[in-house]
Amino acid sequence: MQAAPYTLSPEDLYLFNTGQLFRAYRTLGAHATEWSDKNGVRFAVWAPNALAVSVVGDFNNWDGKEHRMEMAGTTGVWVLFVPQIGEGERYKYEVIDAHGRRKLKSDPFAFRSELRPNTASIVADLDLYEWQDQAWMEQKRRNPPYQRPMLIYEVHLGSWKMDAPEQFRTYVELAEELVDYVADMGYTHIELLPLGEHPLDRSWGYQTTGFYSATSRYGPPEGLQKLVDRCHREGIGVLLDWVPGHFCRDDHGLRLFDGTALYEPSDDRLADKQLWGTLAFDFGKPEVVSFLISNALFWMDVYHIDGLRVDAVASMIDLHFDKPEDRKTNNRYGTSEHLEALDFIRTLNEIVFRHYPDNLMIAEDSSAYPAVTMPVYLGGLGFNYKWNMGWMNDVLKYMETDPDHRSSRHSLMTFSLWYAYSENYVLPLSHDEVVHGKRSLLHKMPGSYPEKFANLRLLYGYWMSHPGKKLLFMGSEFGQFDEWKDFTGLDWMLLTYPLHDSMHRFVRRLNRLYAELPQLWECDHHADAFTWIDVNNAQQSVLSFYRLARSTDTPVVIICNFSRHAYPAYRFGVPLPGRYRLLLNTDEADYGGNGLPVPEVTEADEPPMHGKPCSIEIPLPALTCQIWIPEEVPAQSLSSLATPI
């Protein structure tokens, strides 16, 4: 029991006002406690320019005259202890703003919110759930992510499965059905689209009003805790899309909270995100820094989230991002870098890794800003991964090209290796690429209906064997044909059709093969573990390369035919002599392919080719990826291979 919950800690208030209270959610917001031998709730809210603030709720008939708050000195934080109320109480803050206007505001630090369209905050205790994921937490400490497989299944919980519009699966139901599915498919992580409370279903959570309040659409907070716990007990990490760059304009939220630009900049050119209809955070205010960094730690502390995918980094760090000329501003040096946002990001990553050194901080960054995944102490932004948007754009542009014309765009598939090791990359095939008229991945593929599936299997084979961790959006694993429809569930009935069912089996096999082969993930960040065999065969639209790992001397050889021409006897160089075994052929009939005969084993022999000591000759069907591995590695041949650092 706190001795004086009513007054708050002067040290905490000082740290909040100086941008250093990194667990501010323990001080501000609504907390059930005891004071003067009475049980009740302590409320605290930051509103420095308000003329008065009251707590209103069912307990006082929403009458602001009943429970007026007091400001704690000159800190801008208003505080009040209300006796004889507790968990489950609905409440808001009645703010008499700087202009004398009365507003009802939701609690910025609320742990729970009403189901939309209602907007009241709810008193909640988030410390009651009994976690059972200790083994997961321990193994995470023992196994750094860089040398581990990372295959992320990106999920929008509301539309993964839906019985009818707005009839969502609950967190508790998803803890069984979704987790069983993800484990069976062989994914290592789930990435959840944002779960902070938001008023509009179709914003998918990217326009947030309740940054500390897990959305009530899918049930109470303990349901989300159960979902994460179940993931961990099944060996699955949980990542969360996190949106610190902007917030929703709805009047019950953060906008003009005390009648002034409080969470947003006072300069409308800085505040207004016209493209998204939202407002940017003011990263120059210390209290906003405390609010946001505390929020990052909150999801890790309270919900055991294993990492954050930080949304829209490019829009945060560039003052000119998507702005017309008359809305652009420059920093004090006359350039477009948002210096306060960059400082915020560096501090964010330093603090997160100080408390959670084994977690992930992933930048969704479409810019060319350097050293995004370099540590802060070396001059970087401090993330440990970045989405490779360049790879994604180039590869999809190439794959959408008719196979007969791909030879002229060959460099789109090879350019990424020039910069693949400049950052720690995730290769995303995300929700952003299958909405807003962009079409699904399957629908993007050219050619006849069977060719579309062949192209998609080929794309997945190349994606899985290219250096970098992996992310795939839900539905893409079985060839969702329509683009993602956020208002209905995925088209699971497609699994009754043979080609979609075959695609589903193929992706499960590819996922499991990825996990089994350290060559495909152990040295993602080391250039000497990747070697082109033939990078220049644009005429035939064929690429071949091999990959190495620290833990094995055996290379894995990959060859991809992006043309619609089959090559019955295609010869290419390989790094070692001996017998090679076929691990994957995307043309297999069981995967929906043509099933053209390809031997399971072939012998590497003369002549040397492509600068390699020997070669193999194989049938290479059209629109096919094949993965081969030497059956035995002669010790005397190992010196011919690059050794990963």
Side-chain angles (χ1 to χ4, degrees), residues 291-316:
F291 175 84
L292 288 172
I293 294 181
S294 294
N295 189 241
L297 291 179
F298 166 83
W299 290 104
M300 298 175 184
D301 291 344
V302 173
Y303 290 102
H304 290 203
I305 295 297
D306 299 293
L308 302 174
R309 175 266 203 186
V310 180
D311 181 60
V313 170
S315 78
M316 296 167 63

mmCIF file of all heavy atoms in Angstrom, residues 291-316:
data_model
loop_
_atom_site.group_PDB
_atom_site.id
_atom_site.type_symbol
_atom_site.label_atom_id
_atom_site.label_comp_id
_atom_site.label_asym_id
_atom_site.label_seq_id
_atom_site.Cartn_x
_atom_site.Cartn_y
_atom_site.Cartn_z
ATOM 1 N N PHE A 291 5.410 9.792 -22.274
ATOM 2 C CA PHE A 291 4.181 9.077 -22.635
ATOM 3 C C PHE A 291 4.467 7.954 -23.627
ATOM 4 O O PHE A 291 3.998 6.810 -23.452
ATOM 5 C CB PHE A 291 3.187 10.080 -23.220
ATOM 6 C CG PHE A 291 1.920 9.477 -23.754
ATOM 7 C CD1 PHE A 291 0.858 9.198 -22.914
ATOM 8 C CD2 PHE A 291 1.769 9.204 -25.116
ATOM 9 C CE1 PHE A 291 -0.327 8.655 -23.403
ATOM 10 C CE2 PHE A 291 0.601 8.658 -25.616
ATOM 11 C CZ PHE A 291 -0.449 8.385 -24.761
ATOM 12 N N LEU A 292 5.237 8.252 -24.668
ATOM 13 C CA LEU A 292 5.443 7.276 -25.748
ATOM 14 C C LEU A 292 6.420 6.170 -25.357
ATOM 15 O O LEU A 292 6.165 4.987 -25.632
ATOM 16 C CB LEU A 292 5.924 7.997 -27.008
ATOM 17 C CG LEU A 292 4.867 8.835 -27.732
ATOM 18 C CD1 LEU A 292 5.498 9.647 -28.844
ATOM 19 C CD2 LEU A 292 3.750 7.950 -28.289
ATOM 20 N N ILE A 293 7.528 6.518 -24.733
ATOM 21 C CA ILE A 293 8.483 5.467 -24.359
ATOM 22 C C ILE A 293 7.879 4.579 -23.279
ATOM 23 O O ILE A 293 8.060 3.348 -23.289
ATOM 24 C CB ILE A 293 9.821 6.081 -23.921
ATOM 25 C CG1 ILE A 293 10.480 6.775 -25.125
ATOM 26 C CG2 ILE A 293 10.747 5.005 -23.353
ATOM 27 C CD1 ILE A 293 11.825 7.410 -24.832
ATOM 28 N N SER A 294 7.130 5.158 -22.361
ATOM 29 C CA SER A 294 6.408 4.348 -21.374
ATOM 30 C C SER A 294 5.448 3.389 -22.060
ATOM 31 O O SER A 294 5.271 2.250 -21.620
ATOM 32 C CB SER A 294 5.631 5.247 -20.416
ATOM 33 O OG SER A 294 6.491 6.020 -19.621
ATOM 34 N N ASN A 295 4.819 3.844 -23.144
ATOM 35 C CA ASN A 295 3.884 2.986 -23.855
ATOM 36 C C ASN A 295 4.579 1.790 -24.483
ATOM 37 O O ASN A 295 4.067 0.667 -24.454
ATOM 38 C CB ASN A 295 3.137 3.794 -24.916
ATOM 39 C CG ASN A 295 2.005 3.020 -25.545
ATOM 40 O OD1 ASN A 295 1.986 2.781 -26.751
ATOM 41 N ND2 ASN A 295 1.046 2.594 -24.737
ATOM 42 N N ALA A 296 5.767 2.012 -25.045
ATOM 43 C CA ALA A 296 6.526 0.893 -25.608
ATOM 44 C C ALA A 296 6.831 -0.145 -24.530
ATOM 45 O O ALA A 296 6.633 -1.357 -24.726
ATOM 46 C CB ALA A 296 7.812 1.410 -26.244
ATOM 47 N N LEU A 297 7.320 0.311 -23.383
ATOM 48 C CA LEU A 297 7.639 -0.612 -22.303
ATOM 49 C C LEU A 297 6.380 -1.255 -21.721
ATOM 50 O O LEU A 297 6.413 -2.416 -21.283
ATOM 51 C CB LEU A 297 8.417 0.108 -21.206
ATOM 52 C CG LEU A 297 9.833 0.552 -21.564
ATOM 53 C CD1 LEU A 297 10.478 1.264 -20.388
ATOM 54 C CD2 LEU A 297 10.695 -0.631 -21.998
ATOM 55 N N PHE A 298 5.274 -0.513 -21.716
ATOM 56 C CA PHE A 298 4.007 -1.033 -21.195
ATOM 57 C C PHE A 298 3.612 -2.335 -21.886
ATOM 58 O O PHE A 298 3.243 -3.320 -21.234
ATOM 59 C CB PHE A 298 2.925 0.030 -21.377
ATOM 60 C CG PHE A 298 1.516 -0.458 -21.208
ATOM 61 C CD1 PHE A 298 0.958 -0.575 -19.948
ATOM 62 C CD2 PHE A 298 0.736 -0.781 -22.324
ATOM 63 C CE1 PHE A 298 -0.356 -1.022 -19.795
ATOM 64 C CE2 PHE A 298 -0.564 -1.218 -22.171
ATOM 65 C CZ PHE A 298 -1.117 -1.346 -20.904
ATOM 66 N N TRP A 299 3.663 -2.349 -23.228
ATOM 67 C CA TRP A 299 3.254 -3.554 -23.951
ATOM 68 C C TRP A 299 4.173 -4.732 -23.631
ATOM 69 O O TRP A 299 3.721 -5.886 -23.623
ATOM 70 C CB TRP A 299 3.232 -3.282 -25.452
ATOM 71 C CG TRP A 299 2.118 -2.361 -25.851
ATOM 72 C CD1 TRP A 299 2.220 -1.036 -26.173
ATOM 73 C CD2 TRP A 299 0.724 -2.681 -25.934
ATOM 74 N NE1 TRP A 299 0.978 -0.517 -26.452
ATOM 75 C CE2 TRP A 299 0.042 -1.498 -26.319
ATOM 76 C CE3 TRP A 299 -0.010 -3.846 -25.728
ATOM 77 C CZ2 TRP A 299 -1.340 -1.466 -26.503
ATOM 78 C CZ3 TRP A 299 -1.396 -3.806 -25.911
ATOM 79 C CH2 TRP A 299 -2.030 -2.631 -26.295
ATOM 80 N N MET A 300 5.425 -4.453 -23.340
ATOM 81 C CA MET A 300 6.365 -5.520 -22.990
ATOM 82 C C MET A 300 6.212 -5.940 -21.531
ATOM 83 O O MET A 300 6.267 -7.133 -21.207
ATOM 84 C CB MET A 300 7.789 -5.043 -23.277
ATOM 85 C CG MET A 300 8.016 -4.733 -24.742
ATOM 86 S SD MET A 300 9.650 -4.029 -25.082
ATOM 87 C CE MET A 300 9.504 -3.688 -26.845
ATOM 88 N N ASP A 301 6.009 -4.966 -20.638
ATOM 89 C CA ASP A 301 5.830 -5.262 -19.220
ATOM 90 C C ASP A 301 4.542 -6.041 -18.963
ATOM 91 O O ASP A 301 4.544 -7.072 -18.275
ATOM 92 C CB ASP A 301 5.738 -3.961 -18.401
ATOM 93 C CG ASP A 301 7.039 -3.179 -18.329
ATOM 94 O OD1 ASP A 301 8.099 -3.744 -18.647
ATOM 95 O OD2 ASP A 301 6.977 -1.994 -17.949
ATOM 96 N N VAL A 302 3.449 -5.529 -19.488
ATOM 97 C CA VAL A 302 2.118 -5.990 -19.092
ATOM 98 C C VAL A 302 1.617 -7.124 -19.971
ATOM 99 O O VAL A 302 0.940 -8.044 -19.486
ATOM 100 C CB VAL A 302 1.129 -4.802 -19.114
ATOM 101 C CG1 VAL A 302 -0.300 -5.268 -18.877
ATOM 102 C CG2 VAL A 302 1.528 -3.774 -18.062
ATOM 103 N N TYR A 303 1.949 -7.087 -21.254
ATOM 104 C CA TYR A 303 1.451 -8.102 -22.184
ATOM 105 C C TYR A 303 2.552 -9.027 -22.707
ATOM 106 O O TYR A 303 2.288 -9.873 -23.557
ATOM 107 C CB TYR A 303 0.729 -7.428 -23.359
ATOM 108 C CG TYR A 303 -0.581 -6.789 -22.954
ATOM 109 C CD1 TYR A 303 -0.687 -5.422 -22.759
ATOM 110 C CD2 TYR A 303 -1.712 -7.572 -22.746
ATOM 111 C CE1 TYR A 303 -1.892 -4.836 -22.374
ATOM 112 C CE2 TYR A 303 -2.923 -6.998 -22.364
ATOM 113 C CZ TYR A 303 -3.001 -5.632 -22.176
ATOM 114 O OH TYR A 303 -4.191 -5.068 -21.789
ATOM 115 N N HIS A 304 3.766 -8.894 -22.226
ATOM 116 C CA HIS A 304 4.891 -9.750 -22.599
ATOM 117 C C HIS A 304 5.151 -9.764 -24.100
ATOM 118 O O HIS A 304 5.604 -10.772 -24.662
ATOM 119 C CB HIS A 304 4.668 -11.177 -22.087
ATOM 120 C CG HIS A 304 4.771 -11.295 -20.596
ATOM 121 N ND1 HIS A 304 5.063 -12.483 -19.958
ATOM 122 C CD2 HIS A 304 4.631 -10.371 -19.592
ATOM 123 C CE1 HIS A 304 5.081 -12.299 -18.641
ATOM 124 N NE2 HIS A 304 4.816 -11.013 -18.405
ATOM 125 N N ILE A 305 4.868 -8.654 -24.771
ATOM 126 C CA ILE A 305 5.136 -8.542 -26.200
ATOM 127 C C ILE A 305 6.647 -8.643 -26.431
ATOM 128 O O ILE A 305 7.450 -8.062 -25.697
ATOM 129 C CB ILE A 305 4.592 -7.202 -26.737
ATOM 130 C CG1 ILE A 305 3.058 -7.173 -26.634
ATOM 131 C CG2 ILE A 305 5.037 -6.950 -28.163
ATOM 132 C CD1 ILE A 305 2.341 -8.211 -27.458
ATOM 133 N N ASP A 306 7.039 -9.380 -27.475
ATOM 134 C CA ASP A 306 8.452 -9.664 -27.736
ATOM 135 C C ASP A 306 9.130 -8.612 -28.607
ATOM 136 O O ASP A 306 10.334 -8.696 -28.836
ATOM 137 C CB ASP A 306 8.587 -11.034 -28.413
ATOM 138 C CG ASP A 306 8.066 -12.150 -27.530
ATOM 139 O OD1 ASP A 306 8.675 -12.421 -26.482
ATOM 140 O OD2 ASP A 306 7.017 -12.732 -27.880
ATOM 141 N N GLY A 307 8.387 -7.667 -29.099
ATOM 142 C CA GLY A 307 8.998 -6.632 -29.916
ATOM 143 C C GLY A 307 7.946 -5.791 -30.598
ATOM 144 O O GLY A 307 6.764 -6.157 -30.668
ATOM 145 N N LEU A 308 8.387 -4.657 -31.102
ATOM 146 C CA LEU A 308 7.500 -3.711 -31.765
ATOM 147 C C LEU A 308 7.962 -3.475 -33.188
ATOM 148 O O LEU A 308 9.158 -3.302 -33.448
ATOM 149 C CB LEU A 308 7.487 -2.376 -31.014
ATOM 150 C CG LEU A 308 7.058 -2.414 -29.550
ATOM 151 C CD1 LEU A 308 7.249 -1.044 -28.914
ATOM 152 C CD2 LEU A 308 5.617 -2.876 -29.407
ATOM 153 N N ARG A 309 7.024 -3.478 -34.102
ATOM 154 C CA ARG A 309 7.279 -3.006 -35.460
ATOM 155 C C ARG A 309 6.805 -1.558 -35.472
ATOM 156 O O ARG A 309 5.615 -1.273 -35.331
ATOM 157 C CB ARG A 309 6.520 -3.868 -36.461
ATOM 158 C CG ARG A 309 6.614 -3.403 -37.924
ATOM 159 C CD ARG A 309 5.445 -2.531 -38.256
ATOM 160 N NE ARG A 309 5.129 -2.458 -39.668
ATOM 161 C CZ ARG A 309 4.210 -1.664 -40.176
ATOM 162 N NH1 ARG A 309 3.492 -0.875 -39.400
ATOM 163 N NH2 ARG A 309 3.971 -1.655 -41.464
ATOM 164 N N VAL A 310 7.741 -0.631 -35.542
ATOM 165 C CA VAL A 310 7.447 0.793 -35.401
ATOM 166 C C VAL A 310 6.983 1.323 -36.751
ATOM 167 O O VAL A 310 7.734 1.340 -37.734
ATOM 168 C CB VAL A 310 8.666 1.560 -34.878
ATOM 169 C CG1 VAL A 310 8.341 3.040 -34.728
ATOM 170 C CG2 VAL A 310 9.110 0.979 -33.529
ATOM 171 N N ASP A 311 5.748 1.759 -36.781
ATOM 172 C CA ASP A 311 5.083 2.141 -38.031
ATOM 173 C C ASP A 311 5.576 3.491 -38.542
ATOM 174 O O ASP A 311 5.850 4.411 -37.763
ATOM 175 C CB ASP A 311 3.574 2.194 -37.782
ATOM 176 C CG ASP A 311 2.785 2.558 -39.024
ATOM 177 O OD1 ASP A 311 2.874 1.806 -40.008
ATOM 178 O OD2 ASP A 311 2.085 3.588 -39.007
ATOM 179 N N ALA A 312 5.675 3.600 -39.864
ATOM 180 C CA ALA A 312 5.809 4.888 -40.559
ATOM 181 C C ALA A 312 6.990 5.721 -40.067
ATOM 182 O O ALA A 312 6.867 6.924 -39.849
ATOM 183 C CB ALA A 312 4.511 5.684 -40.450
ATOM 184 N N VAL A 313 8.141 5.088 -39.919
ATOM 185 C CA VAL A 313 9.327 5.810 -39.455
ATOM 186 C C VAL A 313 9.693 6.930 -40.420
ATOM 187 O O VAL A 313 10.073 8.033 -40.008
ATOM 188 C CB VAL A 313 10.501 4.834 -39.245
ATOM 189 C CG1 VAL A 313 11.813 5.592 -39.011
ATOM 190 C CG2 VAL A 313 10.215 3.913 -38.067
ATOM 191 N N ALA A 314 9.572 6.677 -41.718
ATOM 192 C CA ALA A 314 9.929 7.705 -42.708
ATOM 193 C C ALA A 314 9.110 8.971 -42.510
ATOM 194 O O ALA A 314 9.617 10.090 -42.667
ATOM 195 C CB ALA A 314 9.738 7.163 -44.120
ATOM 196 N N SER A 315 7.838 8.820 -42.141
ATOM 197 C CA SER A 315 6.990 10.000 -41.945
ATOM 198 C C SER A 315 7.351 10.756 -40.679
ATOM 199 O O SER A 315 7.034 11.936 -40.547
ATOM 200 C CB SER A 315 5.516 9.589 -41.886
ATOM 201 O OG SER A 315 5.180 9.037 -40.630
ATOM 202 N N MET A 316 8.001 10.079 -39.736
ATOM 203 C CA MET A 316 8.395 10.723 -38.486
ATOM 204 C C MET A 316 9.675 11.532 -38.650
ATOM 205 O O MET A 316 9.811 12.622 -38.082
ATOM 206 C CB MET A 316 8.597 9.670 -37.389
ATOM 207 C CG MET A 316 7.347 8.907 -37.009
ATOM 208 S SD MET A 316 7.701 7.459 -36.001
ATOM 209 C CE MET A 316 8.409 8.200 -34.534
#
